[in-house]
Amino acid sequence: MDAVRKIISVMSVEEKASLCSGQGVWNTQGIGRINVRSLHMSDGPHGVRIEGVKATCFPAACLTAASFDKNLMEEIGAAIGRECRSHNVDILLGPGLNIKRSPLGGRNFEYFSEDPVLSGYMAAGFVKGLQGEGVSACIKH
């Protein structure tokens, strides 16, 4: 944490603000002056999604959550993490942790459950597996 504080202390206000916007569609800004590299992102949450690149499509979150198996979610997160690394992806935009509030929700398949406890356990397993492979998770929606 001290290394992060040291980097932040030498950044200008403009450099700090630049980290809130992207460099293109799927990359963060890099700051060469202090060796902060650009990070590459991919949409998820059911696998790496890069246009024109073949990748594994894992089962939808609603299906895997029905297993009630946090260890399975960790294995899936780790497998996706390995695939992210093979495509130089630093941050996966997922998992989706929204709670299903209506059966008419068009993105319900991306979310684990209508139960917040189950959703939390499943997301925790997924994130643990992903981060164990050195890939950051960006919980969404």
Side-chain angles (χ1 to χ4, degrees), residues 4-71:
V4 173
R5 285 192 177 109
K6 184 177 179 180
I7 291 170
I8 291 171
S9 73
V10 299
M11 291 173 68
S12 69
V13 172
E14 291 80 10
E15 288 170 332
K16 292 173 185 174
S18 76
L19 296 177
C20 295
S21 64
Q23 175 185 323
V25 178
W26 295 105
N27 294 292
T28 64
Q29 291 283 348
I31 304 172
R33 177 182 75 79
I34 53 174
N35 295 322
V36 172
R37 69 179 182 85
S38 172
L39 300 175
H40 185 63
M41 295 174 273
S42 170
D43 202 6
H46 303 117
V48 180
R49 199 163 74 189
I50 302 172
E51 190 172 331
V53 173
K54 291 184 179 183
T56 307
C57 181
F58 287 82
C62 59
L63 177 63
T64 54
S67 71
F68 290 80
D69 189 342
K70 182 179 173 183
N71 294 326

